[in-house]
Amino acid sequence: MTAAAVPAASPASTGEAAGVRLARSRRNAELSLLLLAMVLVAAYAATVEANVLDTVTPDFWMPAAALGLVFLGLHLVIRWLAPFADPALLPAVALLNGIGVGFLRRYDLAKAVPADRETLAIFAGTGGRQLAWTLGAVILAAGLLAIMRDHRSLSRYAYTLGLAGIVLVMIPAVLPARFSEINNAKLWIRIGGFSIQPGEFAKLALLAFFAYYLVRKREVLSLASRRVLGIDFPRGRDLGPVLVVWIISLLVLVFEKDLGTSLLYFGMFVVTLYIATERVSWLLIGLILFFGGAYLAYLLGSTVGGPFLNFYDRAQIWLDPFAEPYDRGYQIVQGLLTLGTGGLFGAGPGGGQPTLLPEVQTDFIFAGIGEEIGLFGLSALLVVYLLVVERGLRAALAVRDSFGKLLAGGLAFTLGLQVFVIVGGISKLIPLTGQTTPFLSAGGSSLMANWLLIAVLLRVSDGARRPMTGGGPAARPSGGAPEQLHGAQTEVIRP
């Protein structure tokens, strides 16, 4: 009597089972980190109430719980639609978003009459509105994950997105000041009590177009004409795309009156170009063009005036804000004093005086938080931002198609550059800009755009980490011929 033979498991089924276990372990790690982030947000809220109210109210935990439910919903969407996505992205961004909501709640308490602080509704004021914006932004991110099952599908609409991005950039510049200008920067569309910052969404659309364009043209742009000091410089006739984006960025600088937005657009194109071609010369050319253009605008502002005058005034304030500490330099002086007051360890959550700092809920929220958590706390926040950028760059390195590499690398760099621009402006490293601190500042435009950015990174990382089994999206990109990019086997998207 012979024993029945046990059928061997097929390699495909074994690989699929391993993939399921891997996805489950990553999502469980994400859930654990997300719960830890919400515990930290709740602890921050309790400390704020202890310092501001001298007591901790029974419902201090409600904002953290509300945020936790919102992020848990997104976690379930990721578990279903992007099971192999990076497990560190959502918890890191949720922590930043939660700290932002907590500080805005703290700002509401500071503005309230002392007798009414204990009864101030949890979902009232700026903090309550930010909670609502967070819900909308997370729903938008979940919707994008549901619609965009493969990041390469964006390449089909590259030119449409590029045109939409240019239109979104131009609208505030051509509108009358009463419909577009806030704090001397024309970055908004204002209709009645509603306002939106279209540039926040334009950067995503333009980056998708840049990635597609550079995948198609990178071989031409990689050609060198001469070698200087060990650096290969491109041919003169290949400078056209950079010059076009440079001119657009200068027009943004002059007519929208904002250095940060101009630097953001030009910087993300040049870095995406560098990622595509691996030519250091493009970075040098980009730096020379941008700083040369900014200096030219400064000289024209001092001599001609007109549309260049605003940038000249901002540069003068940056060079010596203490020349007029109670007038033009008041905001940046107060920001520097606020950071100095915080010192190394800060006054503690709820121990500062945020009402003395202009625009503390938007442009200067990083300084307001710094007064209360100090240099060490701000360094920790910057490390969280650095973690998000690093995970985005890791997704760019791991994904197997050129479009995904340029898209994820550009998005990660853009987020890091935006943080640099706002922190540099507050700390007087560069002239003050109108950019908001991602995930911390009050407002819906920035929050929604940056959550969409995170959704794209999640989708790219899911494609990069998905096992090469079966015919899934990551198994083999559709269309095109294989090529090499940074030593990895990739494929060009040719819809």
Side-chain angles (χ1 to χ4, degrees), residues 80 107 120 199 247 315 350 360-361 386 466 493:
W80 174 40
Y107 176 63
L120 184 67
I247 292 172
V360 68
Q361 75 277 20
L386 184 62
R466 189 177 294 273
I493 305 303

Side-chain angles (χ1 to χ4, degrees), residues 147-170:
I147 295 171
M148 185 181 64
R149 297 302 181 94
D150 187 343
H151 62 271
R152 293 174 311 231
S153 61
L154 286 176
S155 65
R156 300 173 189 167
Y157 312 102
Y159 288 102
T160 303
L161 290 171
L163 178 61
I166 292 174
V167 171
L168 289 173
V169 170
M170 290 176 58

Side-chain angles (χ1 to χ4, degrees), residues 6 61 68-69 140 153 156 162 172 196 213 241 260 280 296 341 369 437 475 477:
V6 179
W61 53 272
L69 289 175
L140 204 60
S153 61
R156 300 173 189 167
I196 186 173
Y213 174 80
V280 178
L296 178 61
T341 302
I369 294 176
T437 311

